[in-house]
Amino acid sequence: MRKKLIKLFKILVLSILALIVITIATLYFSLHEKLPEGEAGIKADNFALKIQNAVKHDQYIKTDYLQWTFRNKNHYIWDKRKNTVQVDYDGHKVILDLDHPERNKLINPEHFSDKIIKKALANFNNDSFWVVAPHKLFDKKTTRQLITLKDNSKGLLVTYSSGGTTPGDSYLWKVDSNYRPISYKMWVSIIPTGGIEATWENWIDTDSGAHLSQQHKLLGFGIPITNLKAWND
């Protein structure tokens, strides 16, 4: 009797695992999109400039301070003049010097300081992108392509060949009639399925004049950006 129960249990476990694999495979092939190819050059660059004009990039460049909370748990105060960031997460407080990483430090150092600082930098690279990505279209070692979308409108594919934590990632921006971003599709190393779409919405004009989005949705789940402020001295 015991052997039969064990055999039935193994069959049940294998059946569940098979169902999980089939479900994952089905989702992957139904959602996955190939990275599109488009036209690089002046047309793509002009499209990118129109996006940056829509989000008041000139005011973003002049912004002294930027503050936000990502998903209600990671807190940032970015001094853009000095390019230093105070990061608060999981009870840790880290000061990042983005121009001189050897000066990065953990307030109240402990045994795992290096690991905590490394995670703070990875968090900042990810979380700041969800705030300022439209202002990073012309970062060093980026390429831009103008893409014709399925509805015959135009989108902008931006690929980052270096920088951040996961270089090589690509983002296809969709915009409204005023060239303000409404979403992007992602081909990124941390997500195995290409072409997953995230919205960019709830835009605000900050005190510095920069235009920033404070709400995203990814696969139906919200990615809130709270306590979002940008200002000058």
Side-chain angles (χ1 to χ4, degrees):
M1 182 66 179
R2 184 179 179 183
K3 290 183 178 180
K4 288 183 178 180
L5 288 174
I6 293 175
K7 185 177 181 180
L8 287 173
F9 178 74
K10 288 182 178 179
I11 293 173
L12 178 62
V13 170
L14 290 174
S15 298
I16 292 174
L17 289 175
L19 182 60
I20 291 173
V21 170
I22 292 171
T23 301
I24 292 174
T26 300
L27 287 173
Y28 175 81
F29 287 109
S30 63
L31 295 175
H32 180 73
E33 297 181 18
K34 290 183 179 180
L35 184 67
E37 294 184 3
E39 180 182 359
I42 190 67
K43 290 184 178 179
D45 289 350
N46 284 340
F47 195 93
L49 288 171
K50 289 178 180 179
I51 293 176
Q52 292 201 324
N53 183 60
V55 298
K56 311 290 180 62
H57 181 66
D58 57 338
Q59 299 302 315
Y60 170 78
I61 292 297
K62 299 175 185 177
T63 297
D64 291 333
Y65 298 96
L66 189 59
Q67 171 182 303
W68 74 97
T69 298
F70 185 78
R71 282 183 167 168
N72 301 313
K73 60 179 183 179
N74 297 340
H75 311 279
Y76 303 91
I77 300 177
W78 184 3
D79 185 334
K80 289 178 75 272
R81 300 170 308 171
K82 298 179 180 179
N83 211 17
T84 59
V85 190
Q86 177 179 307
V87 184
D88 293 88
Y89 80 97
D90 294 345
H92 306 297
K93 180 175 291 186
V94 178
I95 305 298
L96 299 175
D97 189 324
L98 302 179
D99 295 327
H100 304 280
E102 70 277 3
R103 299 177 184 174
N104 293 345
K105 62 181 180 180
L106 173 67
I107 306 302
N108 298 324
E110 54 187 81
H111 182 62
F112 298 104
S113 293
D114 290 343
K115 183 177 180 180
I116 292 169
I117 291 172
K118 184 177 180 179
K119 184 176 180 181
L121 180 59
N123 286 345
F124 171 77
N125 288 337
N126 176 80
D127 300 355
S128 63
F129 195 83
W130 287 97
V131 177
V132 302
H135 300 281
K136 296 174 64 64
L137 305 182
F138 288 92
D139 277 12
K140 291 181 179 180
K141 296 187 178 180
T142 56
T143 57
R144 289 158 297 282
Q145 298 179 60
L146 192 62
I147 305 294
T148 300
L149 305 177
K150 292 180 180 179
D151 62 359
N152 289 322
S153 64
K154 298 297 183 181
L156 181 73
L157 181 68
V158 181
T159 299
Y160 296 82
S161 61
S162 67
T165 304
T166 55
D169 293 348
S170 296
Y171 302 83
L172 176 56
W173 290 95
K174 296 181 181 180
V175 300
D176 63 17
S177 58
N178 295 314
Y179 292 92
R180 186 174 72 178
I182 56 177
S183 68
Y184 60 30
K185 288 187 174 182
M186 299 177 285
W187 286 262
V188 296
S189 59
I190 61 173
I191 301 177
T193 303
I196 297 297
E197 190 167 15
T199 66
W200 282 67
E201 50 192 305
N202 196 8
W203 290 85
I204 61 170
D205 281 315
T206 63
D207 289 343
S208 74
H211 208 41
L212 301 173
S213 167
Q214 56 184 2
Q215 179 64 45
H216 310 287
K217 290 180 182 176
L218 176 63
L219 296 175
F221 296 95
I223 303 176
I225 309 294
T226 55
N227 196 30
L228 179 59
K229 300 176 183 178
W231 71 96
N232 297 318
D233 274 342

